[in-house]
Amino acid sequence: MTVEKGQTFTGSEQVDRYRSLYYAGASGDFNPIHIDPEFGKMVGLGGSILQGLCTLAFAAKVVTDWTGDPGRLKKIKCRFSAPVMMEDTISVEGAVTDVQAGRAKLAIRVVNQNGSEVLQKVEAEIDA
């Protein structure tokens, strides 16, 4: 796939009710705000919230699905800006902002079903 400035891509992910438990098992992040809904309520989060790195992984998956090769993703970074709740739907929109010397820079927007940005300043680089 040839990558050119201005290309866009989209994707989405439904956060199932057990996703934070699966992610805790894989990552070792067993913080109670992620795995105990009652603890999440007690600290004002309204229930358990998804690990931020899992949300970023959803965004990275949209990029790698678009490129067709996970090895092409070289960098990705973000600022975690809002909690993702179980059963939220995460939508990812990306665009190629620059292509130079075999690398493409991507700007990515990640929102929940209410349009709230759950990740901000999401930037990635891929092999072009």
Side-chain angles (χ1 to χ4, degrees):
M1 178 181 93
T2 303
V3 177
E4 297 176 359
K5 183 176 179 179
Q7 283 181 296
T8 62
F9 55 93
T10 61
S12 66
E13 189 79 33
Q14 174 78 40
V15 180
D16 67 74
R17 65 190 312 190
Y18 301 111
R19 183 60 46 195
S20 63
L21 295 173
Y22 302 147
Y23 193 81
S27 69
D29 183 354
F30 288 94
N31 186 319
I33 63 172
H34 300 305
I35 61 171
D36 183 347
E38 294 306 316
F39 186 85
K41 289 176 187 171
M42 185 178 73
V43 297
L45 294 170
S48 58
I49 62 171
L50 188 65
Q51 293 88 344
L53 288 175
C54 187
T55 305
L56 182 60
F58 287 151
K61 181 181 179 300
V62 171
V63 173
T64 59
D65 285 352
W66 174 64
T67 64
D69 178 1
R72 292 178 71 178
L73 177 61
K74 299 304 179 189
K75 290 183 178 179
I76 190 165
K77 66 180 183 178
C78 74
R79 178 176 173 268
F80 303 110
S81 54
V84 173
M85 310 303 291
M86 300 310 106
E87 303 191 20
D88 275 0
T89 299
I90 304 303
S91 297
V92 178
E93 300 173 0
V96 179
T97 59
D98 193 22
V99 179
Q100 288 186 12
R103 285 280 176 105
K105 293 184 177 182
L106 312 176
I108 302 168
R109 185 167 187 264
V110 182
V111 299
N112 66 12
Q113 68 280 357
N114 300 319
S116 297
E117 280 190 279
V118 295
L119 302 178
Q120 293 180 334
K121 299 180 180 180
V122 186
E123 298 173 2
E125 285 186 24
I126 61 170
D127 282 337

